[in-house]
Amino acid sequence: MLTEDQLRITTLGEPTFNSPLKSVMEGPREFVDDLRRVLLDVEFSGDEPPTPLGFEKAGPRERVFFDAAQSTAAIVTCGGLSPGLNNVIRNLYYTLHDNYGVPRVLGIRNGYQGLNPDEGRPPIPLTGKHVERVHHAGGTILGSSRGPQEPRVTVDFLESLGVDMLFTIGGDGTQRGARAIAHEVERRGAKIAVVGIPKTIDNDIKYCYRSFGFLTAVAEAERVIDRAHVEAKSVQRGVGLVKLMGRHAGFIAAAATIASGEVNFTLVPETPLVMEGDDGFLAKLGRRLDARDHAVVVVAEGAGQELFAASQEGRPGIDKSGNRKLGDIGPLLKERITEHFKQPGMRPANVKYFDPSYYIRSAAAGAADSLLTEQLARQAAHAAMAGKTDLIVSLWNNRSVHVPLELTTGQAKRMDPASDLWGAVLAITGQERW
């Protein structure tokens, strides 16, 4: 059970400046009080009162910590690509520069490498020309990289640039780095706000209902699944096998399965992959092929890791973001399916394999993610200007909230096999009935 202290947001000090939004924005504006909360749990039993605990609500504050006209902001994008990165950069720039009047917004190039002057390239002073049309393109105009930098070097560099606000756009590894930077800032008594914006198409960030890029990735994955279905139906005993991203969580695989409606087996990290036996995957796939002459299988990249020998599991090692490298389940599954149906007395299967990993994450943001990126970027700017730090701006119970980095980093979210989402997958695929 979380406590009120765990939900408390760190601030750099007492806000003393009137918000510039009073003068630069026309019409009435509602400012958010620091005491406003969004309930942690909105569902409760009738005989149990709901817990009063909640996240601090995001939004513009009437008084801010930084003098906007004398401030400098920096934006960094890290880790793998996700639809909407450029949208976040664009919306941060416009909120900070046009609405608050921050004169200098720097784009840090190639992830955290750009915060180490010995490794990275110089920052780009962003202008309206830089960001005017970037939301129509995938990727990130700032570039990205994996891996952290020494926090002392990073903070030295930020101070040398006169940066007051750092916005870190990335997943769990990025936000672990942001937390280390925030702690170094606090250790030396500097006044730099560090605000994270969660990004991962896996949608596996704790206390974040939906991360930007997820729905666009699902839409792109649905297209691939539909093509796999066409391929599978065009040959005898055809199997369309699609591997999707999802290291430790099967949210993309599950959502794309539901969106497509053409999947017969969905394999995710949250459930064990049993290959052999009458109730194993291969036997069920055989019964499906005997009955319908085709099948579509979707597998998340982190599924079936138990199929790799211990010696093989240890071999891949750790990537630069601190994640254990996975065995490649897609080719293994294709090989196992092909070999199984080559056995005496078996009719061969014709496997068509699709691996659209980079395809689905490099697309431009769709409408839903464009809306979410605008919301998260704007609220991140509000949080930083108010002097709030060591947090991510998150979507929770359909509200924008501030979540302490300590709560969300290293706490990956998983899909609950008892959830409505997984129940919908089982209902649509029928994979338990075969």
Side-chain angles (χ1 to χ4, degrees):
M1 175 67 70
L2 294 177
T3 66
E4 189 173 334
D5 283 344
Q6 289 176 295
L7 300 177
R8 185 171 289 114
I9 297 299
T10 302
T11 61
L12 296 174
E14 186 70 25
T16 58
F17 296 96
N18 288 326
S19 173
L21 297 182
K22 285 185 173 182
S23 58
V24 301
M25 300 295 287
E26 295 181 0
R29 169 161 290 279
E30 179 184 357
F31 291 99
V32 178
D33 188 278
D34 273 351
L35 297 178
R36 188 80 61 86
R37 295 290 183 270
V38 174
L39 284 176
L40 189 62
D41 298 309
V42 295
E43 187 174 318
F44 60 94
S45 173
D47 59 354
E48 296 178 3
T51 173
L53 287 177
F55 292 114
E56 182 178 278
K57 187 175 181 181
R61 267 45 179 183
E62 190 167 9
R63 294 179 73 79
V64 296
F65 181 80
F66 294 108
D67 179 359
Q70 304 298 320
S71 297
T72 295
I75 304 169
V76 63
T77 56
C78 307
L81 298 182
S82 182
L85 281 166
N86 284 329
N87 302 59
V88 176
I89 296 167
R90 181 179 191 265
N91 288 311
L92 274 172
Y93 174 82
Y94 282 135
T95 303
L96 291 165
H97 185 272
D98 290 15
N99 293 351
Y100 275 102
V102 174
R104 192 164 169 251
V105 181
L106 302 176
I108 305 299
R109 296 199 278 181
N110 299 114
Y112 283 144
Q113 274 186 2
L115 290 175
N116 183 339
D118 293 331
E119 292 191 15
R121 296 188 291 170
I124 304 169
L126 294 176
T127 67
K129 286 187 176 180
H130 282 116
V131 303
E132 184 179 10
R133 297 187 58 79
V134 296
H135 57 305
H136 296 302
T140 164
I141 60 168
L142 300 179
S144 186
S145 67
R146 292 190 182 275
Q149 296 291 328
E150 169 57 48
R152 285 175 295 180
V153 173
T154 294
V155 178
D156 283 345
F157 187 57
L158 292 172
E159 289 187 317
S160 73
L161 294 172
V163 170
D164 304 290
M165 296 167 274
L166 174 66
F167 299 92
T168 59
I169 309 170
D172 184 67
T174 302
Q175 305 311 338
R176 289 199 304 267
R179 189 178 176 211
I181 293 170
H183 286 188
E184 176 61 19
V185 167
E186 182 181 23
R187 186 193 69 79
R188 63 177 68 185
K191 299 299 182 183
I192 302 174
V194 181
V195 176
I197 300 174
K199 171 235 66 177
T200 168
I201 63 171
D202 288 353
N203 199 38
D204 61 353
I205 295 179
K206 188 83 168 179
Y207 300 114
C208 177
Y209 174 71
R210 176 164 59 87
S211 53
F212 76 83
F214 173 69
L215 289 181
T216 302
V218 168
E220 296 294 331
E222 179 194 1
R223 294 186 180 94
V224 177
I225 292 170
D226 291 344
R227 302 301 186 273
H229 181 239
V230 171
E231 289 283 349
K233 290 196 70 175
S234 298
V235 295
Q236 288 188 324
R237 295 175 69 79
V239 177
L241 174 60
V242 181
K243 186 184 82 171
L244 297 175
M245 286 188 167
R247 292 183 55 84
H248 304 295
F251 290 109
I252 289 181
T257 291
I258 296 168
S260 171
E262 302 291 359
V263 181
N264 309 112
F265 298 92
T266 302
L267 313 175
V268 295
E270 291 88 346
T271 60
L273 176 51
V274 179
M275 296 292 287
E276 307 298 337
D278 192 55
D279 285 330
F281 167 71
L282 292 172
K284 289 183 175 183
L285 178 60
R287 291 193 286 270
R288 163 72 194 189
L289 292 175
D290 290 342
R292 301 296 299 275
D293 202 43
H294 76 281
V296 176
V297 180
V298 168
V299 58
E301 63 179 319
Q305 293 302 300
E306 62 273 17
L307 301 179
F308 295 90
S311 60
Q312 290 177 312
E313 278 195 281
R315 192 182 306 159
I318 304 296
D319 67 19
K320 290 182 179 179
S321 295
N323 302 310
R324 184 174 66 84
K325 293 181 180 179
L326 302 176
D328 197 342
I329 186 61
L332 176 67
L333 205 55
K334 179 185 178 183
E335 180 183 354
R336 293 287 294 272
I337 294 170
T338 302
E339 292 302 316
H340 175 79
F341 290 104
K342 281 183 178 179
Q343 297 179 72
M346 294 277 191
R347 295 170 59 199
N350 195 330
V351 183
K352 308 294 185 183
Y353 178 54
F354 296 74
D355 183 355
S357 299
Y358 298 110
Y359 172 83
I360 70 171
R361 75 181 195 179
S362 57
D369 281 322
S370 293
L371 291 171
L372 181 58
T373 54
E374 190 281 332
Q375 179 180 348
L376 293 177
R378 179 163 39 86
Q379 305 297 5
H382 294 325
M385 281 297 304
K388 298 180 184 298
T389 188
D390 199 10
L391 65 93
I392 62 167
V393 174
S394 176
L395 187 67
W396 190 255
N397 292 327
N398 208 31
R399 305 287 195 283
S400 298
V401 299
H402 299 151
V403 180
L405 282 174
E406 184 178 5
L407 273 188
T408 187
T409 51
Q411 305 284 330
K413 180 174 66 176
R414 302 287 185 265
M415 183 174 59
D416 184 353
S419 66
D420 289 342
L421 178 63
W422 186 242
V425 169
L426 297 182
I428 286 173
T429 63
Q431 62 194 61
E432 290 194 337
R433 296 195 298 270
W434 288 105

